[in-house]
Amino acid sequence: MKFSSVLLGVALSAGTALADVDPIVIKGSKFFYKTNGTEFFIRGVAYQQSYTGGSSTDNNNKYVDPLADPATCKRDIPYLQALRTNTIRTYAIDPKANHDECMQMLQDAGIYVISDLSSPAESINRDSPEWNVDLYNRYTSVIDALAKYPNVIGFFAGNEVSNNHTNTDASAFVKAAVRDMKKYIKAKNYRPMGVGYATNDDSEIRVNMANYFNCGPSEESIDFWGYNVYSWCGDSNYQKSGYEARTQEFSDYSVPVFFAEYGCNEVQPRKFTEVAALFGEQMSKVWSGGIVYMYFQEENDYGLVSVSGNTVSKLPDYDFLSKQIASATPTGVNSAAYTPTNTAAQACPTIGSNWQASEKLPPSPNPDLCECMVKSLKCGVKDNVSDKDIGKLFGIVCGYDGICDGISGNATSGKYGAYSMCQARDRVSFAINRYYEQQVAKGNGDSACDFDGAAELKSSSSTSGTCGTLLNEAGVEGTGTVTSSPTSPGGSGAASTGSSSSSSAAARPMAVPGSVQVGMWQFGAYIITAVIAGVGMIVL
């Protein structure tokens, strides 16, 4: 489908769209065009250049938003169209940027978008997982930025966060994000958009992962399941690749499943012979297509094209994919004639050596509760204390028995403090205040609010009204259950900073720089070397 850039510019300047695409909706375990009811199969391409720079310690959040540069979109969309692409996956977008022109061009080309909600430094960290106010603001801001475009199918709340049996507890925090983003979309009265998860293909946890995110109440479970699969290499086949086994495993799954990434490059050039199987009769009854990794040629050597300025050069992989995708014409069903039979959710996995995530999820981030708690404190951290020193303070104050129960979280036991979702600075202030109040009760209050000059006495506010209700629900120790909702569903339109990141495990996905989450779960980097006046002094 060709489009006129001149006409597009006129339409956008007038504030009107051209012709809206037919939104994609979910019914049972399939995608459908909303208006005509035709089943929708994803012929996708991952579309984002790798994140730049960064390390595991510098909180680097550099990335190139692929939907914010109209010139780049105009350059690349014809190449995507030539591959019969109807969906792209983006891994990080800037919610403060303008996406109107790129999204309109994609819409005119009949291309839909599935976007990850995270960014390199703002996602759930598999090694010290949290679901907190900062991350909530980031995720909702992405939804706010993209919700107005009818060619947005939905969002991934995580990508390969739990990638082996040692970190499956992190999945509880991702599932909490799924729950809260689904709730947010409804609260904002946005049109239906799915929230899902993209998993790696680890043999020890693949079944438990799929079951966990599809078990329990529908309000808490995923709307679709993305599978990053790289098991078909070279001229493999349906059985040898494991595709047959995976298809059998998902034959009764109650939501749509598709390949969120595929395209093994162990044998080059990639001939993409798996396309015939994925869109063939056996697999298309279960799978809703897939997304090839990836459009841009990077160091990991998965590109379909190489780009230099305004010049795009097709690589051999592009031509092979083009030949295969030309025959990708699965026979679907019409939504009017489709009655789902696989409607039952999966059984939640049992806690054991290969699974550590409880059915009980972390609390929803509640900024009102956090704000009320901070206002109520008599002792707290000074405003000029750095994030690095906040981490040290956690190591000090949480060494005292029971002090940090209200700010900690254990996904295996399913026990979470009411304030475990607050920002790190607010959490450490709560713990410092708990210590201070205990010392006051013992008659040792004069020097208890110091922490080597990092803490100070505060002017606490009244805890009546709404704050009184929230704080009473949380309890004095912060171990209660808060049922009151925030005064607004949130969504600032701009993400906060200071959240943790989760890096993808394998070399072939985008290298996601991590950030060290300052929190009570990370004591290993610090050594308690002395105890002065009852307060530990920590040095690196």
Side-chain angles (χ1 to χ4, degrees):
M1 180 188 299
K2 296 183 179 180
F3 57 86
S4 166
S5 59
V6 175
L7 179 58
L8 174 59
V10 172
L12 288 173
S13 65
T16 59
L18 294 176
D20 283 351
V21 294
D22 195 356
I24 304 303
V25 296
I26 296 171
K27 181 179 180 181
S29 59
K30 297 181 182 295
F31 292 112
F32 295 96
Y33 289 98
K34 180 179 179 180
T35 302
N36 64 28
T38 303
E39 186 172 354
F40 180 81
F41 292 92
I42 294 172
R43 299 189 303 271
V45 175
Y47 182 71
Q48 184 149 17
Q49 291 182 282
S50 294
Y51 300 126
T52 57
S55 70
S56 61
T57 58
D58 65 1
N59 199 36
N60 193 301
N61 204 29
K62 295 181 180 178
Y63 57 92
V64 177
D65 183 341
L67 304 180
D69 185 350
T72 299
C73 293
K74 183 177 179 181
R75 178 197 66 194
D76 294 333
I77 286 175
Y79 291 90
L80 293 169
Q81 282 184 282
L83 288 172
R84 299 183 66 221
T85 302
N86 64 11
T87 307
I88 60 171
R89 177 183 177 183
T90 59
Y91 292 83
I93 66 111
D94 179 1
K96 298 182 294 295
N98 188 298
H99 304 101
D100 289 349
E101 291 189 60
C102 279
M103 291 302 291
Q104 184 66 62
M105 291 185 216
L106 290 166
Q107 180 175 314
D108 294 339
I111 297 175
Y112 295 80
V113 175
I114 298 175
S115 183
D116 289 47
L117 293 170
S118 60
S119 70
E122 298 166 298
S123 57
I124 296 169
N125 189 322
R126 66 170 67 97
D127 297 321
S128 55
E130 295 184 30
W131 175 233
N132 56 38
V133 171
D134 284 336
L135 290 176
Y136 182 92
N137 288 340
R138 159 70 197 187
Y139 287 25
T140 54
S141 69
V142 173
I143 291 175
D144 287 340
L146 297 181
K148 64 181 178 179
Y149 305 115
N151 54 332
V152 172
I153 295 174
F155 309 93
F156 284 125
N159 180 68
E160 300 189 3
V161 179
S162 295
N163 63 351
N164 61 58
H165 75 277
T166 68
N167 51 39
T168 56
D169 61 314
S171 287
F173 297 87
V174 182
K175 192 171 181 181
V178 170
R179 173 201 64 201
D180 291 343
M181 294 305 98
K182 292 177 63 168
K183 184 178 180 180
Y184 180 77
I185 290 170
K186 290 183 179 179
K188 296 285 285 188
N189 290 319
Y190 290 141
R191 65 175 178 82
M193 294 176 289
V195 181
Y197 177 76
T199 185
N200 68 317
D201 186 27
D202 183 273
S203 60
E204 289 187 314
I205 65 172
R206 64 160 73 104
V207 174
N208 281 338
M209 286 289 292
N211 289 348
Y212 182 74
F213 279 89
N214 186 239
C215 76
S218 60
E219 294 81 8
E220 297 181 353
S221 59
I222 42 97
D223 295 314
F224 52 73
W225 186 246
Y227 212 163
N228 299 342
V229 181
Y230 292 84
S231 58
W232 186 305
C233 301
D235 291 320
S236 189
N237 59 57
Y238 185 50
Q239 290 76 29
K240 180 181 177 181
S241 65
Y243 277 29
E244 181 181 41
R246 304 291 81 75
T247 301
Q248 290 174 350
E249 288 168 0
F250 284 96
S251 61
D252 64 347
Y253 213 62
S254 64
V255 299
V257 294
F258 58 93
F259 286 5
E261 294 175 0
Y262 74 95
C264 172
N265 69 350
E266 291 181 9
V267 179
Q268 294 187 328
R270 295 183 290 176
K271 296 183 179 180
F272 291 104
T273 52
E274 67 265 48
V275 168
L278 178 59
F279 292 93
E281 182 178 357
Q282 288 177 298
M283 293 189 70
S284 64
K285 292 178 180 179
V286 174
W287 301 91
S288 296
I291 299 170
V292 170
Y293 190 84
M294 62 175 296
Y295 181 77
F296 296 98
Q297 175 71 333
E298 303 288 348
E299 292 183 5
N300 58 15
D301 204 23
Y302 277 87
L304 299 175
V305 303
S306 62
V307 175
S308 178
N310 292 323
T311 302
V312 177
S313 300
K314 298 178 184 178
L315 298 175
D317 288 7
Y318 182 100
D319 292 327
F320 280 109
L321 178 60
S322 179
K323 293 176 182 177
Q324 293 290 339
I325 209 73
S327 301
T329 54
T331 302
V333 298
N334 191 279
S335 61
Y338 168 62
T339 302
T341 56
N342 49 335
T343 56
Q346 307 298 307
C348 290
T350 303
I351 299 293
S353 59
N354 282 340
W355 192 256
Q356 296 293 310
S358 167
E359 297 176 42
K360 187 173 181 180
L361 304 180
S364 300
N366 189 327
D368 291 350
L369 173 62
C370 298
E371 182 179 356
C372 290
M373 177 267 286
V374 171
K375 289 180 178 179
S376 73
L377 302 181
K378 298 176 182 177
C379 175
V381 66
K382 289 182 177 179
D383 294 339
N384 62 356
V385 174
S386 68
D387 288 345
K388 182 178 180 180
D389 287 336
I390 290 291
K392 295 180 182 180
L393 285 169
F394 272 116
I396 297 170
V397 69
C398 290
Y400 298 100
D401 186 44
I403 290 294
C404 289
D405 289 350
I407 61 174
S408 65
N410 188 317
T412 303
S413 65
K415 294 181 179 180
Y416 309 94
Y419 302 112
S420 61
M421 49 73 199
C422 296
Q423 295 176 352
R425 185 174 295 269
D426 295 345
R427 296 200 311 271
V428 79
S429 285
F430 173 83
I432 285 173
N433 186 73
R434 287 281 298 143
Y435 172 82
Y436 168 73
E437 289 185 333
Q438 286 187 4
Q439 295 305 307
V440 169
K442 297 177 181 178
N444 303 323
D446 291 344
S447 60
C449 187
D450 183 69
F451 284 81
D452 201 22
E456 63 183 359
L457 293 172
K458 304 284 187 178
S459 298
S460 58
S461 302
S462 172
T463 56
S464 60
T466 300
C467 276
T469 300
L470 289 169
L471 295 175
N472 285 336
E473 289 178 348
V476 174
E477 297 181 355
T479 54
T481 300
V482 177
T483 58
S484 299
S485 300
T487 53
S488 71
S492 61
S496 301
T497 58
S499 303
S500 64
S501 95
S502 137
S503 59
S504 292
R508 52 82 203 135
M510 305 171 67
V512 182
S515 68
V516 174
Q517 173 72 31
V518 286
M520 66 163 294
W521 294 270
Q522 291 184 300
F523 305 137
Y526 308 108
I527 302 173
I528 300 179
T529 58
V531 177
I532 300 176
V535 179
M537 178 182 293
I538 291 180
V539 297
L540 294 175

